[in-house]
């Protein structure tokens, strides 16, 4: 019974993560959560590998090298944490093929990262959702990430993080509480500034008020 229950829990975690990755809104939320844990490169790598699997062989060579340079190489900009055995296997595979990236070059690393997200990060992410107040809004659309074929992942280029940001920027259906507060603050400042301008105008256009104000300035600023 215990073994069956563990298998059921594992299957549930896998399905939950798959559902999140297939939902634009939820995958963006998950990415932001991982970013807070300094682990968003795991999701980036996994998304890139999925896109890599869908490419033609001639396209895989260029994209495969960029994935390697960004996420696998020790000099990469977003290096993922792989067990030494898997890391050595990927490096050896790339070197033995003389720079040729075959279909399964990242398969084991991809599976490891998926398992890491499903059983390590995902439970914590789900707990944050339970603690978050229910949000009303437009249901998010379900879509696959944009292709990475023409995106630059290496130094100075675009990464999966950039792609996901682009998707999230087009999916803002509601104004957040923070944005509302910011707009309200700007409006208050603008109103206060307008009041100051009106008062200053009154001073300049009234001889009595102007003389009193001038006397006050001389006394405060020690002007003779």
């Amino acid at each position: 019974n215990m073994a069956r229950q563990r298998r059921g829990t594992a299957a549930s975690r896998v399905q939950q993560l798959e559902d999140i990755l297939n939902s634009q809104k939820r995958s963006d939320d998950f990415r932001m959560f991982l970013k807070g844990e300094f682990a968003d490169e795991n999701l980036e790598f996994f998304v890139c590998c999925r896109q890599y699997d869908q490419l033609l062989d001639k396209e895989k060579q260029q994209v495969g090298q960029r994935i390697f340079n960004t996420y696998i190489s020790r000099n990469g900009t977003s290096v993922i944490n792989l067990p030494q055995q898997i890391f050595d296997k990927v490096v050896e595979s790339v070197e033995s093929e003389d720079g040729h990236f075959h279909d399964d070059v990242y398969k084991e690393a991809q599976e490891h990262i998926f398992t890491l997200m499903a059983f390590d990060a995902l439970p914590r992410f789900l707990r944050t959702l339970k603690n978050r107040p229910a949000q009303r809004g437009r249901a998010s659309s379900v879509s696959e990430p944009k292709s990475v074929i023409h995106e630059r992942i290496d130094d100075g280029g675009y990464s999966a993080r950039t792609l996901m940001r682009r998707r999230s920027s087009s999916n803002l259906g509601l104004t957040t509480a923070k944005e509302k507060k910011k707009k309200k603050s700007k409006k208050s400042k603008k109103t206060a500034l307008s009041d100051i301008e009106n008062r200053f105008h009154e001073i300049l256009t009234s001889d009595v008020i102007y003389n009193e104000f001038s006397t006050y300035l001389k006394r405060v600023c020690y002007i003779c």
Side-chain angles (χ1 to χ4, degrees):
N1 290 337
M2 290 294 292
R4 190 182 300 115
Q5 185 177 3
R6 282 195 294 269
R7 286 196 296 271
T9 302
S12 175
R13 286 279 185 262
V14 169
Q15 187 58 53
Q16 284 174 319
L17 184 54
E18 285 287 358
D19 291 342
I20 287 173
L21 296 177
N22 290 327
S23 166
Q24 180 173 323
K25 174 64 169 63
R26 297 182 71 191
S27 62
D28 288 338
D29 290 341
F30 188 47
R31 178 186 63 81
M32 292 303 297
F33 171 79
L34 291 175
K35 188 174 182 180
E37 293 200 338
F38 304 99
D40 50 328
E41 67 275 1
N42 289 334
L43 184 56
E44 293 177 24
F45 171 76
F46 183 82
V47 170
C48 285
C49 286
R50 273 199 166 177
Q51 294 166 346
Y52 173 84
D53 292 338
Q54 300 171 5
L55 300 177
L56 300 174
D57 185 65
K58 61 180 181 179
E59 296 169 331
K60 284 183 176 179
Q61 305 316 304
Q62 186 177 18
V63 175
Q65 185 64 59
R66 290 171 178 169
I67 292 175
F68 184 86
N69 292 343
T70 304
Y71 302 106
I72 305 297
S73 171
R74 295 303 188 195
N75 298 321
T77 55
S78 302
V79 180
I80 58 174
N81 188 16
L82 292 174
Q84 191 64 41
Q85 182 180 0
I86 297 179
F87 172 80
D88 292 340
K89 196 171 182 179
V90 173
V91 173
E92 182 182 351
S93 176
V94 173
E95 291 178 349
S96 64
E97 294 288 339
D98 194 25
H100 179 79
F101 290 83
H102 57 79
D103 294 346
D104 298 331
V105 63
Y106 295 123
K107 184 176 181 180
E108 194 170 350
Q110 183 182 5
E111 290 175 350
H112 171 77
I113 292 299
F114 182 87
T115 302
L116 187 66
M117 291 191 296
F119 295 96
D120 182 45
L122 181 61
R124 293 194 298 276
F125 172 66
L126 294 176
R127 283 196 293 272
T128 64
L129 293 182
K130 288 182 180 179
N131 297 329
R132 183 186 301 176
Q135 294 181 352
R136 296 178 181 178
R138 185 178 55 187
S140 59
S141 59
V142 177
S143 61
E144 286 294 325
K146 294 181 180 178
S147 173
V148 78
I149 296 176
H150 303 296
E151 297 292 344
R152 295 181 299 162
I153 305 175
D154 49 359
D155 293 344
Y158 299 114
S159 66
R161 182 183 308 171
T162 308
L163 298 181
M164 300 181 84
R165 281 205 197 102
R166 288 179 179 177
R167 291 190 293 125
S168 64
S169 64
S170 62
N171 193 47
L172 299 177
L174 298 174
T175 303
T176 64
K178 188 176 181 180
E179 289 173 338
K180 288 181 179 178
K181 186 176 180 181
K182 190 175 181 180
K183 288 181 179 179
K184 187 176 180 180
S185 176
K186 285 184 177 179
K187 188 176 181 180
S188 299
K189 290 179 180 178
K190 189 175 182 180
T191 302
L193 183 60
S194 178
D195 290 341
I196 293 172
E197 290 176 346
N198 290 336
R199 293 294 297 167
F200 193 67
H201 180 72
E202 289 179 11
I203 291 172
L204 295 179
T205 55
S206 172
D207 293 336
V208 176
I209 298 177
Y210 178 82
N211 291 333
E212 290 178 355
F213 186 62
S214 178
T215 303
Y216 169 78
L217 287 178
K218 288 179 181 181
R219 185 167 61 251
V220 172
C221 302
Y222 301 99
I223 299 177
C224 297

